[in-house]
């Protein structure tokens, strides 16, 4: 695997040197620096592709806010960590700018930089990269290549556990698509979903993935009494006229009940100008399906969305989970989200939990369940069963599970 590549955008040379030393102490040797936003853009335009960009806000010329806008226009794919000594409200505003331009925001850190928080973020995204081999963005797939992958079963359902935050009992699983490409290795949905839509193969992909996942989940449900499977449905599919009837029929054909399935939609897929598929989402609930909102808090008008659709679950975005340990603002967002959910009798799941300390904090903030590497990485059904068989029969020790 190529080493993690980090670019630091910091005009203060002393701060820049300290950040370089911190990152190298974490075992990352491919570190680049820039003294201004203009230098960042120049390096990126010259084909430097950092996995992580550490971005100061107060820089000469092209400042941090301008830089985020210009990176959005360039469709920058790296993770961004905002580092600043500005007022927390200004940092939050910068985070909102990054999200507005659909950049991948890993989090923010106030100056002076907490080395432990920075190390946690770098470790998290390093783990993510190890789970998803880098694919050359200039390479694309042909329609026949994707169509063959779907029909041949090369795109498989992986399962990740969601557990009760107090007892560690498994509440359910989330189905996650993975493409085992013969030349490029294991790929995540972000590597091929856009082309699925471009080639009008999204419906074929959804049907193949969902029906295969149902067959494998039925075994998990019957043998291990796992109550439900969460399945992600792309927003484009929700505007199809008969989508709900098709999903119900597939569930019935598999010998399951709609109550065993949670339809998961990404809140961050919607912006203010986009129409909500309210009819389809309400129809899913009417037919007995569960309904979850993923990435809660990162998209457009979260509270308005919850008021319009009868969700049964809110998934708190991993960005807030990562930041919450050291950031009162992130803790407040989670705390208020949990309060809202309890008022509306909605379950909350914290995503991306990777340590026992984060597990304990999410429990303290009132979350109902967690999902993340601290429990286990996503696995194909066969490996997931082996993992289940290796677990203790009584899962009562919070933080006692290993992946």
């Amino acid at each position: 695997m190529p080493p993690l590549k980090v670019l630091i955008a910091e005009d203060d040379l002393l701060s820049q040197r300290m950040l370089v030393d911190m990152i190298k102490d974490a075992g990352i040797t491919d570190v680049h620096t820039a003294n201004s936003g203009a230098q960042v853009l120049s390096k990126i335009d010259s084909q430097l592709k950092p996995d992580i960009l550490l971005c100061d806000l107060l820089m000469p010329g092209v400042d941090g806010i301008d830089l985020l806008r210009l990176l959005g226009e360039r469709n920058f794919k790296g993770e961004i960590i905002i580092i600043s000594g500005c007022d927390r409200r200004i940092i939050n505003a910068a985070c909102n700018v990054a999200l507005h331009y659909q950049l991948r925001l890993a989090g923010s850190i106030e100056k002076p930089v907490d080395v432990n928080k920075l190390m946690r973020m770098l470790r998290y995204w390093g783990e993510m990269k190890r789970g998803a081999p880098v694919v050359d963005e200039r390479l694309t797939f042909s329609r026949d290549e994707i169509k063959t992958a779907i029909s041949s079963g090369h795109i498989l359902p992986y399962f990740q556990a969601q557990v009760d935050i107090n007892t560690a009992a498994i509440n359910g699983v989330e189905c996650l698509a993975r493409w085992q490409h013969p030349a490029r290795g294991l790929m995540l949905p972000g590597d091929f979903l856009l082309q699925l839509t471009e080639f009008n193969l999204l419906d074929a992909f959804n049907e193949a993935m969902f029906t295969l996942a149902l067959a494998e989940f039925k075994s998990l449900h019957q043998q291990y009494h796992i109550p439900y499977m969460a399945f992600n449905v792309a927003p484009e599919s929700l505007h199809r006229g008969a989508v709900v009837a098709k999903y119900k029929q597939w569930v019935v054909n598999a010998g399951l009940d709609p109550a065993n399935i949670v339809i998961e939609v990404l809140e961050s897929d919607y912006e203010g100008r986009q129409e909500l598929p309210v009819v389809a989402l309400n129809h899913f609930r009417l037919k007995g399906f569960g309904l979850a909102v993923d990435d809660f808090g990162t998209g457009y008008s979260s509270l308005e969305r919850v008021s319009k659709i009868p969700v049964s679950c809110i998934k708190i975005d991993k960005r807030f989970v990562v930041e919450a340990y050291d950031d009162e603002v992130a803790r407040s967002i989670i705390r208020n989200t949990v309060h809202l959910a309890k008022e509306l009798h909605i379950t909350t799941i914290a995503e991306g939990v990777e340590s026992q300390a984060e597990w304990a904090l999410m429990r303290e903030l009132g979350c109902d369940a967690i999902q993340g590497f601290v429990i286990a990485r996503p696995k194909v059904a066969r490996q997931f069963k082996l993992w289940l068989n290796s677990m203790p029969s009584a899962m009562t020790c919070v933080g006692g599970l290993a992946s």
Side-chain angles (χ1 to χ4, degrees):
M1 180 199 75
L4 204 64
K5 184 180 298 182
V6 177
L7 174 59
I8 301 170
E10 169 64 73
D11 66 308
D12 182 82
L13 295 183
L14 178 60
S15 297
Q16 184 185 103
R17 185 71 255 168
M18 291 177 63
L19 287 170
V20 169
D21 291 341
M22 288 179 187
I23 292 168
K24 289 188 174 180
D25 285 344
I28 300 170
T29 58
D30 196 356
V31 184
H32 303 257
T33 59
N35 300 331
S36 66
Q39 283 192 16
V40 171
L41 297 173
S42 176
K43 288 176 181 287
I44 289 174
D45 290 342
S46 299
Q47 298 305 308
L48 177 70
K49 293 184 178 180
D51 300 295
I52 299 176
L53 169 65
L54 273 60
C55 179
D56 189 20
L57 294 181
L58 296 178
M59 293 185 290
V62 178
D63 62 27
I65 299 294
D66 285 334
L67 177 59
L68 292 171
R69 173 179 58 82
L70 293 168
L71 289 172
E73 292 174 357
R74 284 165 168 77
N75 197 28
F76 178 65
K77 295 299 185 183
E79 299 292 336
I80 295 175
I81 300 175
I82 294 174
I83 294 180
S84 178
C86 293
D87 183 273
R88 185 71 227 181
R89 290 169 294 182
I90 296 176
I91 297 175
N92 289 343
C95 291
N96 288 331
V97 170
L99 295 171
H100 173 76
Y101 285 103
Q102 299 183 344
L103 294 166
R104 300 175 65 170
L105 181 65
S108 63
I109 304 177
E110 296 180 66
K111 292 182 177 179
V113 173
D114 182 332
V115 64
N116 292 323
K117 182 174 183 180
L118 178 60
M119 292 304 102
R120 282 197 301 273
M121 287 185 173
L122 293 173
R123 186 174 67 252
Y124 179 83
W125 293 110
E127 292 285 347
M128 291 293 286
K129 184 177 180 181
R130 277 190 284 275
V134 175
V135 176
D136 189 335
E137 294 174 4
R138 294 171 296 179
L139 298 177
T140 57
F141 307 104
S142 69
R143 188 179 193 279
D144 287 343
E145 186 177 10
I146 297 179
K147 191 174 180 179
T148 299
I150 295 172
S151 61
S152 302
H154 292 159
I155 304 180
L156 297 170
Y158 275 51
F159 297 94
Q160 188 172 36
Q162 299 172 348
V163 305
D164 183 276
I165 203 161
N166 293 310
T167 67
I170 297 181
N171 290 345
V173 294
E174 180 179 1
C175 171
L176 302 163
R178 299 290 186 266
W179 183 357
Q180 187 60 58
H181 194 281
R184 306 185 198 181
L186 191 66
M187 297 193 301
L188 304 182
D191 296 317
F192 55 87
L193 274 182
L194 286 177
Q195 285 197 276
L196 281 172
T197 304
E198 177 186 344
F199 294 137
N200 197 28
L201 292 172
L202 190 56
D203 288 344
F205 165 77
N206 284 339
E207 179 176 359
M209 181 59 50
F210 189 56
T211 52
L212 181 56
L214 286 171
E216 296 187 338
F217 171 68
K218 182 179 181 181
S219 175
L220 295 174
H221 176 63
Q222 292 179 337
Q223 294 181 34
Y224 299 94
H225 309 292
I226 296 176
Y228 68 80
M229 176 185 75
F231 185 81
N232 293 275
V233 179
E236 296 86 349
S237 301
L238 294 175
H239 294 286
R240 310 282 198 271
V243 61
V244 178
K246 286 182 179 179
Y247 274 80
K248 181 177 180 182
Q249 191 59 54
W250 291 330
V251 170
V252 171
N253 291 346
L256 292 164
D257 189 273
N260 301 133
I261 305 300
V262 174
I263 299 298
E264 198 165 296
V265 291
L266 282 171
E267 191 215 7
S268 52
D269 277 329
Y270 297 99
E271 297 177 4
R273 65 180 183 274
Q274 292 178 302
E275 180 185 355
L276 289 168
V278 174
V279 173
L281 296 174
N282 278 278
H283 200 184
F284 270 117
R285 290 294 283 139
L286 184 64
K287 293 295 185 182
F289 290 84
L291 187 62
V293 175
D294 200 359
D295 289 354
F296 188 83
T298 63
Y300 170 78
S301 189
S302 302
L303 300 184
E304 181 183 4
R305 176 156 301 109
V306 170
S307 73
K308 289 184 177 180
I309 55 177
V311 301
S312 53
C313 174
I314 287 173
K315 299 186 74 176
I316 298 170
D317 184 66
K318 58 181 173 287
R319 177 170 67 88
F320 299 118
V321 174
V322 170
E323 291 190 1
Y325 199 81
D326 297 299
D327 184 358
E328 176 54 38
V329 174
R331 289 197 296 275
S332 179
I333 290 171
I334 296 174
R335 191 180 295 112
N336 290 332
T337 297
V338 169
H339 176 74
L340 165 70
K342 291 186 184 300
E343 288 284 319
L344 299 175
H345 306 289
I346 296 171
T347 299
T348 52
I349 300 176
E351 293 187 283
V353 178
E354 66 167 30
S355 70
Q356 293 185 24
E358 288 175 350
W359 186 334
L361 179 58
M362 293 304 106
R363 180 174 56 176
E364 179 184 327
L365 294 174
C367 294
D368 298 305
I370 62 168
Q371 178 179 346
F373 289 172
V374 71
I375 304 299
R377 299 175 186 278
K379 306 175 188 297
V380 293
R382 177 182 57 81
Q383 294 173 337
F384 192 82
K385 289 180 180 179
L386 291 174
W387 175 73
L388 288 171
N389 291 334
S390 70
M391 294 169 59
S393 57
M395 296 179 295
T396 56
C397 178
V398 172
L401 300 180
S403 59

